[in-house]
């Protein structure tokens, strides 16, 4: 074994190798040495485990591969053909062109992020979004933070630290990725008092739970599931009325947050932010990158006196939004103000795409796949914790490789995932489906190119 250790090359020996000298043109000496040392250490451990030492050539090659991986960006663009418009794992909302342009400008140089150009004095960054958010929602004031989860934590910490918050048992839900509303709320140092049962909660349940320790009432829009059958829930009006009688603020966590009437697109109703404000919720919070269709953000609108409390809380500093996303969100919100959201914001464009248009694109996609594909009826979903159980009719490209017997859908899906620009489809009943609804039409050229190469490989 000791002879195997002795066979390992020295760091200097590796550094003198031609291929490593090539790497030295791109990477500084200390990075090279550190990576070579790590590689040799791995070899030593392998030998200690009883393996033979790798050849000099293999070692050099593994160093090259490692630098190749490190130097390439791991975050890559891809085609979302899953038919889930707001796919959290695939980055949620693609942004409007104007939002992207605004973000590029904000990223490029300095800006008046916290600076009043008139007086030359410091100014709060919230000011850039406040007037437009108030105009869109009818609220008195607003605050924008990192994401909706931090909005909920900030609001509850500022309003109810070391006190009780009442929530209906049916709304103490998991929001995805293993994150649960009750766990998040506990982080805010407030005590969660759950009332009612999973399927039924009444106004009296809240009423009985209110004590001098109660600091707020929380309503959570059950955004990713539906309870059907024997159910009863308390409306926001009722919760607001209870809050009024007991002088308790009501926090309405809408999850997605919506400015347009979803029923006009053949979807179920999604509560509107303005509606919660009109009904008297003290604070309404929602995500920037779900149905709003902007960059990741947590938007809070509501009564000025409550928002002011949040703005003064130290957690507001810890959860604040950065200049790039602030710029993108502002540009996105302008589209709602101008009544051009459906035309300009990709998420709404996808929701509003007529079936005939999707069918036309699906046929084009299927055409390049020849015998491998046919077009069939299907359903797309909005996703991102909105509109549970509500779907949009779509046309799917079903891909079937008749010459293979086993796991064909999995194999085909993987092949598409590892193409130069990955295409992500969805598998159902061992068939791979591609849904054009969640693919911006500008990406069709890339889709067709990729599918053509994919078909060429399969039919070889
Ligand atoms: C999505 C969602 C959240 C989390 O929002 P992020 O912006 O992803 O942090 C919280 N609550 C509900 C009800 C949601 O749907």
């Amino acid at each position: 074994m000791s002879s195997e250790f002795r066979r390992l090359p020295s760091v200097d020996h590796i550094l003198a190798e031609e291929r490593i000298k090539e790497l030295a043109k791109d990477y500084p000496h200390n990075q090279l040495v550190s990576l070579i040392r790590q590689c040799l250490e791995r070899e030593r451990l392998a030998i200690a485990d009883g393996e033979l030492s790798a050849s000099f050539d293999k070692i050099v090659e593994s160093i090259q591969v490692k630098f190749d991986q490190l130097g390439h960006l791991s975050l890559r663009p891809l085609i979302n053909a899953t038919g889930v418009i707001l796919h959290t794992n695939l980055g949620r909302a693609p942004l409007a062109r104007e939002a992207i342009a605004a973000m590029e400008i904000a990223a490029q140089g300095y800006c008046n992020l916290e600076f009043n150009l008139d007086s030359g004095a410091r100014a709060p960054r919230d000011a850039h979004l406040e007037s437009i958010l108030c105009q869109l929602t009818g609220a008195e004031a607003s605050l924008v933070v990192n994401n909706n989860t931090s909005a909920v934590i900030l609001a509850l910490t500022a309003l109810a630290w070391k006190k009780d918050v009442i929530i209906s048992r049916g709304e103490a839900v998991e929001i995805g990725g293993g994150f649960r509303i009750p766990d998040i709320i506990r982080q805010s140092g407030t005590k969660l008092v759950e009332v009612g049962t999973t399927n039924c909660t009444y106004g009296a349940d809240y009423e009985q739970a209110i004590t001098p320790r109660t600091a707020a009432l929380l309503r959570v829009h059950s955004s990713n599931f539906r309870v059907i059958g024997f159910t009863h829930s308390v409306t926001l009006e009722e919760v607001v009325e209870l809050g009024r009688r007991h002088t308790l603020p009501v926090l309405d966590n809408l999850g997605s947050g919506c400015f347009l009437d979803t029923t006009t697109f053949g979807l179920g109703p999604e509560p509107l932010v303005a509606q919660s404000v009109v009904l008297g919720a003290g604070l309404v919070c929602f995500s920037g990158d779900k149905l709003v269709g902007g960059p990741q953000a947590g938007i809070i609108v509501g009564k000025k006196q409550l928002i002011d409390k949040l703005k003064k809380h130290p957690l507001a500093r810890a959860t604040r939004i950065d200049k790039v996303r602030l710029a993108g969100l502002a540009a996105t919100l302008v589209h709602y103000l101008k009544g051009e959201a459906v035309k300009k914001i990709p998420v709404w464009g996808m929701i509003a795409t007529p079936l005939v248009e999707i069918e036309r694109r699906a046929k084009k996609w299927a055409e390049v796949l020849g015998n491998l594909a046919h077009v069939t009826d299907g359903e797309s979903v909005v996703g991102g914790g909105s509109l549970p159980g509500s779907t949009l009719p779509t046309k799917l490209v079903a891909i079937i490789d008749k010459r293979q017997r086993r796991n064909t859908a999995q194999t085909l899906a993987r092949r598409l995932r590892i193409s130069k620009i990955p295409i992500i489809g969805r598998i159902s009943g061992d068939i791979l489906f591609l849904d054009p609804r969640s693919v911006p039409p500008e990406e069709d050229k890339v889709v067709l190119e990729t599918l053509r190469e994919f078909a060429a490989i399969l039919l070889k």
Side-chain angles (χ1 to χ4, degrees):
M1 195 159 86
S2 61
S3 66
E4 288 298 319
F5 282 121
R6 254 180 276 125
R7 224 178 280 191
L8 285 176
S10 69
V11 173
D12 284 338
H13 188 180
I14 296 175
L15 279 171
E17 218 292 330
E18 275 314 311
R19 284 169 287 171
I20 301 294
K21 278 192 192 155
E22 205 51 40
L23 285 172
K25 288 181 187 160
D26 289 331
Y27 300 96
H29 185 73
N30 61 340
Q31 294 293 351
L32 274 174
V33 171
S34 140
L35 215 121
I36 291 169
R37 288 214 175 108
Q38 285 170 40
C39 181
L40 290 174
E41 183 54 30
R42 257 198 312 279
E43 285 303 318
R44 269 184 219 106
L45 288 172
I47 293 169
D49 264 353
E51 286 177 35
L52 293 178
S53 70
S55 68
F56 180 72
D57 219 46
K58 274 264 153 52
I59 291 174
V60 169
E61 208 173 281
S62 73
I63 292 164
Q64 274 184 309
V65 168
K66 191 72 204 174
F67 267 110
D68 205 42
Q69 287 169 349
L70 286 172
H72 272 95
L73 300 180
S74 147
L75 190 67
R76 291 165 58 192
L78 54 74
I79 308 279
N80 170 20
T82 61
V84 182
I85 296 173
L86 294 165
H87 199 303
T88 296
N89 300 153
L90 304 184
R92 289 194 186 156
L95 301 182
R97 221 187 300 262
E98 289 77 0
I100 297 165
M103 290 170 94
E104 192 176 339
I105 290 170
Q108 215 159 49
Y110 299 98
C111 59
N112 60 336
L113 181 63
E114 293 190 347
F115 186 72
N116 183 322
L117 288 170
D118 194 34
S119 65
R122 188 181 175 280
R125 67 177 66 197
D126 317 311
H128 297 289
L129 291 166
E130 192 149 28
S131 52
I132 189 163
L133 277 169
C134 292
Q135 177 67 28
L136 286 174
T137 65
E140 293 169 10
S142 80
L143 174 62
V144 177
V145 292
N146 181 54
N147 59 0
N148 190 30
T149 308
S150 43
V152 172
I153 292 181
L154 170 62
L156 290 175
T157 313
L159 298 184
W161 194 60
K162 289 193 166 174
K163 296 231 170 118
D164 293 356
V165 172
I166 300 178
I167 184 176
S168 159
R169 198 156 265 130
E171 296 174 6
V173 300
E174 180 167 316
I175 56 176
F179 289 102
R180 296 175 170 176
I181 294 283
D183 296 336
I184 291 168
I185 292 169
R186 251 173 247 125
Q187 286 308 310
S188 64
T190 63
K191 185 167 157 243
L192 198 64
V193 178
E194 291 182 29
V195 298
T197 61
T198 308
N199 57 334
C200 292
T201 302
Y202 302 92
D205 295 324
Y206 282 85
E207 192 104 48
Q208 280 158 22
I210 294 173
T211 69
R213 286 183 43 86
T214 309
L217 305 177
L218 172 65
R219 200 187 76 126
V220 180
H221 174 51
S222 58
S223 51
N224 51 6
F225 73 104
R226 267 196 317 185
V227 186
I228 53 169
F230 177 55
T231 66
H232 188 273
S233 56
V234 179
T235 63
L236 181 61
E237 290 101 309
E238 289 175 84
V239 181
V240 167
E241 176 50 30
L242 276 165
R244 205 176 346 250
R245 266 195 277 125
H246 296 269
T247 41
L248 291 170
V250 174
L251 169 62
D252 190 17
N253 174 12
L254 283 180
S256 195
C258 189
F259 295 131
L260 300 180
D261 179 1
T262 46
T263 60
T264 59
F265 304 94
L267 288 164
E270 178 75 8
L272 297 171
V273 179
Q275 184 71 4
S276 292
V277 172
V278 165
L279 292 177
L283 294 174
V284 184
C285 64
F286 50 100
S287 294
D289 53 349
K290 290 183 178 175
L291 274 174
V292 173
Q296 180 188 305
I299 305 171
I300 312 167
V301 299
K303 306 219 158 93
K304 184 169 184 314
Q305 168 241 339
L306 296 173
I307 295 271
D308 281 346
K309 255 193 199 166
L310 268 52
K311 284 180 179 170
K312 283 193 207 107
H313 195 278
L315 265 187
R317 178 66 167 75
T319 58
R320 74 182 184 185
I321 190 172
D322 71 285
K323 63 175 178 176
V324 176
R325 287 185 289 141
L326 188 146
L329 185 58
T332 306
L333 294 175
V334 167
H335 291 317
Y336 289 100
L337 197 68
K338 290 185 175 169
E340 58 188 21
V342 176
K343 205 169 81 200
K344 299 279 194 170
I345 299 175
V347 168
W348 288 100
M350 290 172 184
I351 290 173
T353 309
L355 193 57
V356 288
E357 175 57 15
I358 295 186
E359 183 168 24
R360 189 187 63 77
R361 295 172 58 201
K363 280 183 175 159
K364 261 183 20 198
W365 293 15
E367 208 173 288
V368 298
L369 291 169
N371 286 337
L372 294 167
H374 64 273
V375 174
T376 177
D377 290 336
E379 285 170 339
S380 324
V381 296
V382 175
S386 55
L387 301 151
S390 179
T391 60
L392 291 159
T394 195
K395 293 286 177 180
L396 302 169
V397 177
I399 308 180
I400 303 167
D401 187 359
K402 293 197 184 75
R403 296 160 313 159
Q404 288 188 42
R405 293 252 161 80
R406 288 152 55 90
N407 290 335
T408 56
Q410 299 288 350
T411 313
L412 295 173
R414 178 159 190 283
R415 249 183 222 287
L416 277 179
R417 283 201 307 272
I418 60 172
S419 39
K420 207 160 56 213
I421 305 277
I423 298 181
I424 316 297
R426 75 162 181 263
I427 293 171
S428 171
D430 208 36
I431 296 180
L432 173 64
F433 293 101
L434 304 181
D435 186 345
R437 187 185 288 280
S438 54
V439 178
E442 315 84 84
E443 292 178 359
D444 267 11
K445 200 164 155 261
V446 176
V447 171
L448 291 175
E449 258 166 46
T450 305
L451 291 181
R452 220 171 264 129
E453 280 169 28
F454 167 79
I457 293 170
L458 284 183
L459 298 172
K460 207 157 45 191

